[in-house]
Amino acid sequence: MFGRKTKNQNLNFVQIEILPSRKTKVVALAGNPNTGKSTIFNRLTGLKQHTGNWPGKTVSRAEGEFILNDEKFLLIDLPGTYSLLSTSEDEEIARDFILFGNPDATVIVCDASALERNLNLAFQIMQITNRCLLCINLIDEAKRKGIEIDKDVLEKELGIPVIFTNARSGEGIDELKEKIYAIANRIIKPNPRKIHLRKEIQEKVDKLKPLIEKAFPGIYSSEWIALRLLEGDKKIRAAVENGNLLEMINKGLENGNGELK
Amino acid sequence: MTKKLSELRKGEKAMIVRVNLNGLTRRRLFDLGFIPGTIVSVLFESPLGDPVAYLVRDTIIALRKDESEKIEVELIN
Ligand SMILES: Nc1nc2c(ncn2[C@@H]2O[C@H](COP(=O)(O)OP(=O)(O)OP(=O)(O)O)[C@@H](O)[C@H]2O)c(=O)[nH]1
Ligand SMILES: [Mg+2]
C-alpha cells in the first residue's frame, strides 16, 4: 500500500527525538478522566498542577522533575482519556504520548470505585507497552463504599505491578515511587496480559507491521497503526500514504507540550 | 420488549441489549462503557432534553440523542 514512497522517506525522515535529551528517564501518568493523575503528579514533583473537577481538568501535558534514589526523572501528567482507539479531540494529546512518546514507565491511574471501566484503557496500554503498572487510586473512597479489591489476584491476572494509593493523604506513594524506579530502570520487567487478536486479523497485522516499520524507521506502536489502517481510520491512512506520519506524530507531541514547570 | 435508550426517563434503569452503530462511533460507545449487558440509568436531562447524562459503569457520561437513539435497551424494575 505504501511501497511507492518508501525510498524517499528513508532519506527524508529521521525520527525526531521527542524530548531533547533522553538521558533523563521519562514517566507518564495516564488514565481515565478524574482519577487523580494530577494529584499524584503534585505528590511526586512537589508542584501545584491544578486539580479537581473544575477548573482542574487537565487539557495539555504538564511536565515536572522528580528524584528517586539520586536519579532524576521527568514526569508527564496527561489529560484523562477513555481510550487509545476511539479518541475525542481532547484525548489525542494523551493518546499520542502514550503511543509515540516511548516513556520508560507508564503509570495507569485508576479509580478504585470504577475499576472495571478503568481496565478498558489499562488493557489498551498493556497492549502497547510492557513497562507499565497499575495505580489504583482513590482507595479511600472505595473503602468507604465497602469495595474490596484483591491485589494479588489482579497482579497475577494482569501481569503488572498493582499499587493502592490515596493521592490526597499520600498513602501508597512511596511504594509507587519504588515501582516506578524499578520499571524505568528495567529492574522489574512486567509481563502484561495481551489481548489476542482474531487469527485473520493477526495475520493482516503481521503483514502490515514490517511494511510500516520499513517505511517509517524507528516508529513506535506499529501494531496500533496497522490496526488503525485495518479499521479504516482516514487520518492515519492519509498520513501513512503521503509519508507524513512521523511529522503528524511529532507535531502532535509538540502541541501537547504544556509549560515545562 | 426493547426500547431506545433515548426513551428512558429520569430515574429509570435499563440493560443495554444492542448498539446499532458502526465503525468508530460504535467503538467509542464501547470505550465509554455502553456495552451490551451493561446497566444504565438516567441521571439528569438537560433543559431541552438533549444531551442526557447517564450513569454507566460507575461514571457519568452524557450522550446526544443521535447516539442514544441507536442504543437498544431493556427496562429493569
Ligand atoms: N479522596 C480522594 N480524593 C482524591 C484522590 N486523588 C485525587 N483526589 C481528588 O480527585 C479530584 C480529581 O483529581 P485530579 O488529580 O485533578 O484528577 P485527574 O486525573 O488529573 O483529572 P483529569 O486531568 O481531568 O483527567 C480532586 O478533587 C482530587 O483532590 C484520592 O486518592 N482520594
Ligand atoms: Mg489532571
Side-chain angles (χ1 to χ4, degrees), chain B residues 8-74:
Chain B
L8 210 64
R9 294 280 74 92
K10 197 172 158 179
E12 285 182 327
K13 241 188 198 178
M15 189 178 79
I16 298 173
V17 179
R18 231 186 316 275
V19 176
N20 296 314
L21 284 156
N22 290 320
L24 222 54
T25 335
R26 179 186 175 83
R27 172 86 235 179
R28 181 66 183 163
L29 285 167
F30 283 5
D31 280 332
L32 291 175
F34 293 89
I35 304 164
T38 302
I39 312 285
V40 283
S41 58
V42 177
L43 278 188
F44 332 102
E45 292 164 338
S46 58
L48 297 174
D50 191 20
V52 171
Y54 298 95
L55 182 67
V56 53
R57 294 181 181 254
D58 307 302
T59 298
I60 304 164
I61 306 270
L63 286 189
R64 295 207 171 276
K65 211 172 163 189
D66 293 344
E67 279 100 40
S68 60
E69 67 184 13
K70 305 277 169 43
I71 300 175
E72 273 180 62
V73 299
E74 222 163 68

Side-chain angles (χ1 to χ4, degrees), chain A residues 22-27 66-74 102-106 130-133 161 176-190:
Chain A
R22 285 301 294 259
K23 266 178 249 150
T24 310
K25 295 204 178 73
V26 173
V27 178
F66 71 110
I67 293 171
L68 288 180
N69 307 336
D70 292 330
E71 184 180 346
K72 198 161 80 184
F73 292 83
L74 186 64
N102 193 31
D104 295 281
T106 302
N130 286 352
R131 294 195 299 272
C132 59
L133 59 102
L176 177 66
K177 285 185 185 169
E178 272 169 39
K179 291 280 157 54
I180 289 174
Y181 182 87
I183 290 176
N185 281 304
R186 281 60 167 179
I187 297 164
I188 298 179
K189 290 190 178 135

Side-chain angles (χ1 to χ4, degrees), chain A residues 6-261:
Chain A
T6 307
K7 278 214 182 81
N8 274 339
Q9 277 153 20
N10 281 341
L11 295 175
N12 294 341
F13 285 94
V14 187
Q15 171 104 43
I16 303 163
E17 268 298 19
I18 299 122
L19 298 153
S21 153
R22 285 301 294 259
K23 266 178 249 150
T24 310
K25 295 204 178 73
V26 173
V27 178
L29 292 170
N32 282 14
N34 219 26
T35 51
K37 297 175 293 299
S38 298
T39 311
I40 291 173
F41 177 89
N42 292 346
R43 280 259 162 217
L44 292 176
T45 59
L47 294 169
K48 286 193 180 61
Q49 262 275 89
H50 282 297
T51 53
N53 279 322
W54 175 263
K57 190 175 175 231
T58 308
V59 288
S60 74
R61 185 172 106 200
E63 304 181 356
E65 286 175 349
F66 71 110
I67 293 171
L68 288 180
N69 307 336
D70 292 330
E71 184 180 346
K72 198 161 80 184
F73 292 83
L74 186 64
L75 189 65
I76 315 284
D77 182 24
L78 296 169
T81 177
Y82 286 109
S83 169
L84 303 179
L85 299 173
S86 64
T87 355
S88 70
E89 232 166 79
D90 48 329
E91 292 178 335
E92 279 181 10
I93 292 169
R95 180 198 74 181
D96 289 348
F97 194 86
I98 297 166
L99 287 168
F100 305 115
N102 193 31
D104 295 281
T106 302
V107 180
I108 309 167
V109 183
C110 292
D111 176 350
S113 303
L115 200 53
E116 188 185 38
R117 144 181 305 281
N118 284 234
L119 286 177
N120 182 48
L121 178 72
F123 272 104
Q124 293 181 8
I125 295 175
M126 285 155 54
Q127 198 76 3
I128 55 157
T129 176
N130 286 352
R131 294 195 299 272
C132 59
L133 59 102
L134 198 73
C135 170
I136 302 185
N137 191 41
L138 290 139
I139 197 73
D140 52 315
E141 292 282 328
K143 273 191 195 135
R144 207 172 45 80
K145 291 175 197 159
I147 297 169
E148 276 178 40
I149 301 170
D150 191 329
K151 183 171 141 169
D152 294 342
V153 167
L154 258 183
E155 281 192 334
K156 214 167 133 228
E157 290 290 326
L158 299 178
I160 63 176
V162 174
I163 297 130
F164 293 158
T165 58
N166 171 350
R168 260 200 196 157
S169 72
E171 181 191 334
I173 296 293
D174 284 341
E175 194 193 344
L176 177 66
K177 285 185 185 169
E178 272 169 39
K179 291 280 157 54
I180 289 174
Y181 182 87
I183 290 176
N185 281 304
R186 281 60 167 179
I187 297 164
I188 298 179
K189 290 190 178 135
N191 184 19
R193 182 183 199 142
K194 306 281 178 181
I195 308 260
H196 294 292
L197 299 167
R198 278 215 310 274
K199 191 166 160 273
E200 62 267 34
I201 297 173
Q202 186 65 55
E203 282 169 5
K204 290 185 176 128
V205 168
D206 290 343
K207 271 187 203 153
L208 280 170
K209 260 178 75 171
L211 295 176
I212 294 165
E213 283 160 11
K214 201 174 162 207
F216 304 99
I219 193 129
Y220 300 115
S221 303
S222 54
E223 174 170 316
W224 180 90
I225 295 167
L227 284 168
R228 303 324 305 143
L229 292 174
L230 290 172
E231 269 198 47
D233 186 317
K234 292 197 184 80
K235 240 170 144 178
I236 300 286
R237 182 176 171 157
V240 168
E241 282 186 337
N242 63 27
N244 290 336
L245 186 63
L246 288 181
E247 277 176 352
M248 191 187 88
I249 289 168
N250 281 305
K251 201 161 148 249
L253 290 173
E254 276 160 29
N255 283 347
N257 196 349
E259 325 96 86
L260 183 67
K261 303 212 172 176

